[in-house]
Amino acid sequence: MAAQRGIQFQEKVSRLLSRQNGKPVLKPNRTLALKDAVANRKLKKGEATCITEMSVLMACWKQNNFVDGLCSNEVKDFYICVEKAQAAMKNKSEQTKMQGGRLHPKQATTLLKRFPNLRTEI
């Protein structure tokens, strides 16, 4: 089904580019071929975690003149939260690897350079 749609799309583009119907409807300013590289953009960072635990810990430190012994419960809570967040991120990254997910732009560029596209128009 998808292959048939691709063929229909190719036929439509070739009709738009053909000169037998007069002037072409579609006038591309560049060749209609994919590049062998991807823009090197940074991936979006996730949202911050454990902000409340960190603020509680810093408030405790400020009240007790930055003595760790008096804020041991807050430190423990903060480290527990960080461990949970790291485990959740690791689990999420494993799931995206199994599902396919997105490639990093550098990985996509190396794959595209390994298997280059044809430089001719459709």
Side-chain angles (χ1 to χ4, degrees), residues 65-87:
N65 294 326
F66 300 97
V67 178
D68 280 335
L70 299 175
C71 300
S72 61
N73 290 337
E74 287 80 0
V75 172
K76 199 180 303 179
D77 291 341
F78 176 68
Y79 281 126
I80 289 170
C81 180
V82 168
E83 286 176 8
K84 287 181 184 177
Q86 287 177 345

PDB file of all heavy atoms in Angstrom, residues 65-87:
ATOM      1  N   ASN A  65      23.973  26.773  58.908  1.00  0.00           N
ATOM      2  CA  ASN A  65      25.318  27.242  58.577  1.00  0.00           C
ATOM      3  C   ASN A  65      26.127  26.200  57.804  1.00  0.00           C
ATOM      4  O   ASN A  65      27.315  25.982  58.086  1.00  0.00           O
ATOM      5  CB  ASN A  65      26.081  27.669  59.844  1.00  0.00           C
ATOM      6  CG  ASN A  65      25.453  28.887  60.476  1.00  0.00           C
ATOM      7  OD1 ASN A  65      24.930  29.763  59.773  1.00  0.00           O
ATOM      8  ND2 ASN A  65      25.480  28.956  61.790  1.00  0.00           N
ATOM      9  N   PHE A  66      25.476  25.518  56.875  1.00  0.00           N
ATOM     10  CA  PHE A  66      26.102  24.579  55.946  1.00  0.00           C
ATOM     11  C   PHE A  66      26.806  23.408  56.636  1.00  0.00           C
ATOM     12  O   PHE A  66      27.875  22.964  56.230  1.00  0.00           O
ATOM     13  CB  PHE A  66      27.079  25.314  55.006  1.00  0.00           C
ATOM     14  CG  PHE A  66      26.386  26.361  54.181  1.00  0.00           C
ATOM     15  CD1 PHE A  66      26.394  27.687  54.569  1.00  0.00           C
ATOM     16  CD2 PHE A  66      25.696  26.007  53.043  1.00  0.00           C
ATOM     17  CE1 PHE A  66      25.737  28.655  53.822  1.00  0.00           C
ATOM     18  CE2 PHE A  66      25.037  26.963  52.291  1.00  0.00           C
ATOM     19  CZ  PHE A  66      25.056  28.287  52.677  1.00  0.00           C
ATOM     20  N   VAL A  67      26.188  22.903  57.680  1.00  0.00           N
ATOM     21  CA  VAL A  67      26.688  21.722  58.375  1.00  0.00           C
ATOM     22  C   VAL A  67      25.924  20.516  57.837  1.00  0.00           C
ATOM     23  O   VAL A  67      24.698  20.441  57.953  1.00  0.00           O
ATOM     24  CB  VAL A  67      26.498  21.844  59.905  1.00  0.00           C
ATOM     25  CG1 VAL A  67      26.981  20.591  60.618  1.00  0.00           C
ATOM     26  CG2 VAL A  67      27.227  23.072  60.423  1.00  0.00           C
ATOM     27  N   ASP A  68      26.667  19.556  57.245  1.00  0.00           N
ATOM     28  CA  ASP A  68      26.031  18.393  56.637  1.00  0.00           C
ATOM     29  C   ASP A  68      25.351  17.479  57.650  1.00  0.00           C
ATOM     30  O   ASP A  68      24.316  16.879  57.352  1.00  0.00           O
ATOM     31  CB  ASP A  68      27.047  17.574  55.832  1.00  0.00           C
ATOM     32  CG  ASP A  68      27.320  18.155  54.466  1.00  0.00           C
ATOM     33  OD1 ASP A  68      26.443  18.863  53.939  1.00  0.00           O
ATOM     34  OD2 ASP A  68      28.407  17.888  53.909  1.00  0.00           O
ATOM     35  N   GLY A  69      25.901  17.368  58.819  1.00  0.00           N
ATOM     36  CA  GLY A  69      25.370  16.438  59.823  1.00  0.00           C
ATOM     37  C   GLY A  69      23.954  16.772  60.252  1.00  0.00           C
ATOM     38  O   GLY A  69      23.160  15.881  60.566  1.00  0.00           O
ATOM     39  N   LEU A  70      23.628  18.049  60.278  1.00  0.00           N
ATOM     40  CA  LEU A  70      22.294  18.458  60.712  1.00  0.00           C
ATOM     41  C   LEU A  70      21.245  18.290  59.613  1.00  0.00           C
ATOM     42  O   LEU A  70      20.046  18.335  59.901  1.00  0.00           O
ATOM     43  CB  LEU A  70      22.329  19.917  61.192  1.00  0.00           C
ATOM     44  CG  LEU A  70      23.260  20.185  62.372  1.00  0.00           C
ATOM     45  CD1 LEU A  70      23.318  21.672  62.678  1.00  0.00           C
ATOM     46  CD2 LEU A  70      22.789  19.414  63.605  1.00  0.00           C
ATOM     47  N   CYS A  71      21.685  18.107  58.369  1.00  0.00           N
ATOM     48  CA  CYS A  71      20.753  17.979  57.241  1.00  0.00           C
ATOM     49  C   CYS A  71      20.860  16.613  56.577  1.00  0.00           C
ATOM     50  O   CYS A  71      20.683  16.483  55.365  1.00  0.00           O
ATOM     51  CB  CYS A  71      21.035  19.078  56.214  1.00  0.00           C
ATOM     52  SG  CYS A  71      20.851  20.741  56.857  1.00  0.00           S
ATOM     53  N   SER A  72      21.152  15.595  57.366  1.00  0.00           N
ATOM     54  CA  SER A  72      21.382  14.276  56.777  1.00  0.00           C
ATOM     55  C   SER A  72      20.119  13.705  56.133  1.00  0.00           C
ATOM     56  O   SER A  72      20.202  13.038  55.095  1.00  0.00           O
ATOM     57  CB  SER A  72      21.920  13.312  57.838  1.00  0.00           C
ATOM     58  OG  SER A  72      20.966  13.163  58.875  1.00  0.00           O
ATOM     59  N   ASN A  73      18.943  13.960  56.713  1.00  0.00           N
ATOM     60  CA  ASN A  73      17.699  13.450  56.114  1.00  0.00           C
ATOM     61  C   ASN A  73      17.443  14.089  54.752  1.00  0.00           C
ATOM     62  O   ASN A  73      17.027  13.403  53.804  1.00  0.00           O
ATOM     63  CB  ASN A  73      16.508  13.707  57.027  1.00  0.00           C
ATOM     64  CG  ASN A  73      16.542  12.836  58.273  1.00  0.00           C
ATOM     65  OD1 ASN A  73      17.174  11.791  58.269  1.00  0.00           O
ATOM     66  ND2 ASN A  73      15.885  13.295  59.332  1.00  0.00           N
ATOM     67  N   GLU A  74      17.680  15.381  54.643  1.00  0.00           N
ATOM     68  CA  GLU A  74      17.458  16.080  53.383  1.00  0.00           C
ATOM     69  C   GLU A  74      18.445  15.611  52.308  1.00  0.00           C
ATOM     70  O   GLU A  74      18.079  15.451  51.142  1.00  0.00           O
ATOM     71  CB  GLU A  74      17.563  17.599  53.567  1.00  0.00           C
ATOM     72  CG  GLU A  74      16.388  18.230  54.293  1.00  0.00           C
ATOM     73  CD  GLU A  74      16.457  18.087  55.809  1.00  0.00           C
ATOM     74  OE1 GLU A  74      17.424  17.495  56.321  1.00  0.00           O
ATOM     75  OE2 GLU A  74      15.517  18.551  56.468  1.00  0.00           O
ATOM     76  N   VAL A  75      19.689  15.398  52.715  1.00  0.00           N
ATOM     77  CA  VAL A  75      20.699  14.887  51.772  1.00  0.00           C
ATOM     78  C   VAL A  75      20.294  13.511  51.275  1.00  0.00           C
ATOM     79  O   VAL A  75      20.373  13.206  50.074  1.00  0.00           O
ATOM     80  CB  VAL A  75      22.100  14.853  52.437  1.00  0.00           C
ATOM     81  CG1 VAL A  75      23.111  14.150  51.547  1.00  0.00           C
ATOM     82  CG2 VAL A  75      22.572  16.257  52.764  1.00  0.00           C
ATOM     83  N   LYS A  76      19.846  12.653  52.210  1.00  0.00           N
ATOM     84  CA  LYS A  76      19.423  11.307  51.849  1.00  0.00           C
ATOM     85  C   LYS A  76      18.239  11.351  50.874  1.00  0.00           C
ATOM     86  O   LYS A  76      18.213  10.613  49.887  1.00  0.00           O
ATOM     87  CB  LYS A  76      19.034  10.540  53.120  1.00  0.00           C
ATOM     88  CG  LYS A  76      19.027   9.041  52.953  1.00  0.00           C
ATOM     89  CD  LYS A  76      18.638   8.351  54.258  1.00  0.00           C
ATOM     90  CE  LYS A  76      19.569   8.754  55.380  1.00  0.00           C
ATOM     91  NZ  LYS A  76      19.234   8.130  56.664  1.00  0.00           N
ATOM     92  N   ASP A  77      17.254  12.213  51.154  1.00  0.00           N
ATOM     93  CA  ASP A  77      16.093  12.342  50.261  1.00  0.00           C
ATOM     94  C   ASP A  77      16.513  12.810  48.862  1.00  0.00           C
ATOM     95  O   ASP A  77      16.003  12.309  47.850  1.00  0.00           O
ATOM     96  CB  ASP A  77      15.075  13.332  50.831  1.00  0.00           C
ATOM     97  CG  ASP A  77      14.391  12.799  52.075  1.00  0.00           C
ATOM     98  OD1 ASP A  77      14.426  11.569  52.294  1.00  0.00           O
ATOM     99  OD2 ASP A  77      13.821  13.624  52.822  1.00  0.00           O
ATOM    100  N   PHE A  78      17.452  13.751  48.815  1.00  0.00           N
ATOM    101  CA  PHE A  78      17.913  14.259  47.520  1.00  0.00           C
ATOM    102  C   PHE A  78      18.612  13.152  46.715  1.00  0.00           C
ATOM    103  O   PHE A  78      18.353  12.977  45.529  1.00  0.00           O
ATOM    104  CB  PHE A  78      18.852  15.451  47.721  1.00  0.00           C
ATOM    105  CG  PHE A  78      19.447  15.972  46.444  1.00  0.00           C
ATOM    106  CD1 PHE A  78      18.657  16.601  45.506  1.00  0.00           C
ATOM    107  CD2 PHE A  78      20.795  15.805  46.168  1.00  0.00           C
ATOM    108  CE1 PHE A  78      19.186  17.081  44.317  1.00  0.00           C
ATOM    109  CE2 PHE A  78      21.338  16.281  44.988  1.00  0.00           C
ATOM    110  CZ  PHE A  78      20.531  16.915  44.068  1.00  0.00           C
ATOM    111  N   TYR A  79      19.488  12.389  47.360  1.00  0.00           N
ATOM    112  CA  TYR A  79      20.195  11.313  46.653  1.00  0.00           C
ATOM    113  C   TYR A  79      19.249  10.213  46.195  1.00  0.00           C
ATOM    114  O   TYR A  79      19.422   9.640  45.118  1.00  0.00           O
ATOM    115  CB  TYR A  79      21.319  10.737  47.508  1.00  0.00           C
ATOM    116  CG  TYR A  79      22.566  11.599  47.516  1.00  0.00           C
ATOM    117  CD1 TYR A  79      23.137  12.021  48.703  1.00  0.00           C
ATOM    118  CD2 TYR A  79      23.154  11.987  46.325  1.00  0.00           C
ATOM    119  CE1 TYR A  79      24.279  12.807  48.709  1.00  0.00           C
ATOM    120  CE2 TYR A  79      24.295  12.775  46.318  1.00  0.00           C
ATOM    121  CZ  TYR A  79      24.849  13.182  47.513  1.00  0.00           C
ATOM    122  OH  TYR A  79      25.969  13.959  47.507  1.00  0.00           O
ATOM    123  N   ILE A  80      18.227   9.906  46.989  1.00  0.00           N
ATOM    124  CA  ILE A  80      17.220   8.912  46.587  1.00  0.00           C
ATOM    125  C   ILE A  80      16.480   9.405  45.343  1.00  0.00           C
ATOM    126  O   ILE A  80      16.250   8.646  44.394  1.00  0.00           O
ATOM    127  CB  ILE A  80      16.244   8.620  47.745  1.00  0.00           C
ATOM    128  CG1 ILE A  80      16.963   7.828  48.846  1.00  0.00           C
ATOM    129  CG2 ILE A  80      15.016   7.853  47.249  1.00  0.00           C
ATOM    130  CD1 ILE A  80      16.152   7.693  50.124  1.00  0.00           C
ATOM    131  N   CYS A  81      16.127  10.674  45.329  1.00  0.00           N
ATOM    132  CA  CYS A  81      15.429  11.247  44.172  1.00  0.00           C
ATOM    133  C   CYS A  81      16.311  11.207  42.927  1.00  0.00           C
ATOM    134  O   CYS A  81      15.840  10.883  41.831  1.00  0.00           O
ATOM    135  CB  CYS A  81      15.004  12.685  44.476  1.00  0.00           C
ATOM    136  SG  CYS A  81      14.145  13.480  43.115  1.00  0.00           S
ATOM    137  N   VAL A  82      17.585  11.513  43.078  1.00  0.00           N
ATOM    138  CA  VAL A  82      18.509  11.489  41.936  1.00  0.00           C
ATOM    139  C   VAL A  82      18.650  10.073  41.392  1.00  0.00           C
ATOM    140  O   VAL A  82      18.643   9.863  40.171  1.00  0.00           O
ATOM    141  CB  VAL A  82      19.894  12.062  42.351  1.00  0.00           C
ATOM    142  CG1 VAL A  82      20.943  11.791  41.297  1.00  0.00           C
ATOM    143  CG2 VAL A  82      19.781  13.550  42.614  1.00  0.00           C
ATOM    144  N   GLU A  83      18.752   9.090  42.268  1.00  0.00           N
ATOM    145  CA  GLU A  83      18.859   7.701  41.824  1.00  0.00           C
ATOM    146  C   GLU A  83      17.616   7.274  41.052  1.00  0.00           C
ATOM    147  O   GLU A  83      17.707   6.602  40.016  1.00  0.00           O
ATOM    148  CB  GLU A  83      19.078   6.773  43.024  1.00  0.00           C
ATOM    149  CG  GLU A  83      20.466   6.859  43.609  1.00  0.00           C
ATOM    150  CD  GLU A  83      20.617   5.996  44.858  1.00  0.00           C
ATOM    151  OE1 GLU A  83      19.688   5.216  45.163  1.00  0.00           O
ATOM    152  OE2 GLU A  83      21.655   6.115  45.520  1.00  0.00           O
ATOM    153  N   LYS A  84      16.434   7.660  41.551  1.00  0.00           N
ATOM    154  CA  LYS A  84      15.190   7.322  40.848  1.00  0.00           C
ATOM    155  C   LYS A  84      15.137   7.986  39.475  1.00  0.00           C
ATOM    156  O   LYS A  84      14.728   7.373  38.489  1.00  0.00           O
ATOM    157  CB  LYS A  84      13.977   7.761  41.669  1.00  0.00           C
ATOM    158  CG  LYS A  84      13.711   6.900  42.875  1.00  0.00           C
ATOM    159  CD  LYS A  84      12.487   7.394  43.618  1.00  0.00           C
ATOM    160  CE  LYS A  84      12.239   6.610  44.880  1.00  0.00           C
ATOM    161  NZ  LYS A  84      11.079   7.142  45.630  1.00  0.00           N
ATOM    162  N   ALA A  85      15.563   9.241  39.400  1.00  0.00           N
ATOM    163  CA  ALA A  85      15.543   9.953  38.124  1.00  0.00           C
ATOM    164  C   ALA A  85      16.508   9.329  37.122  1.00  0.00           C
ATOM    165  O   ALA A  85      16.182   9.191  35.934  1.00  0.00           O
ATOM    166  CB  ALA A  85      15.886  11.429  38.343  1.00  0.00           C
ATOM    167  N   GLN A  86      17.697   8.946  37.589  1.00  0.00           N
ATOM    168  CA  GLN A  86      18.671   8.303  36.693  1.00  0.00           C
ATOM    169  C   GLN A  86      18.172   6.952  36.204  1.00  0.00           C
ATOM    170  O   GLN A  86      18.342   6.595  35.045  1.00  0.00           O
ATOM    171  CB  GLN A  86      20.022   8.157  37.395  1.00  0.00           C
ATOM    172  CG  GLN A  86      20.762   9.453  37.540  1.00  0.00           C
ATOM    173  CD  GLN A  86      22.067   9.304  38.311  1.00  0.00           C
ATOM    174  OE1 GLN A  86      22.297   8.288  38.966  1.00  0.00           O
ATOM    175  NE2 GLN A  86      22.913  10.320  38.229  1.00  0.00           N
ATOM    176  N   ALA A  87      17.528   6.194  37.089  1.00  0.00           N
ATOM    177  CA  ALA A  87      16.971   4.897  36.688  1.00  0.00           C
ATOM    178  C   ALA A  87      15.856   5.085  35.663  1.00  0.00           C
ATOM    179  O   ALA A  87      15.758   4.333  34.690  1.00  0.00           O
ATOM    180  CB  ALA A  87      16.454   4.154  37.914  1.00  0.00           C
TER     181      ALA A  87
END
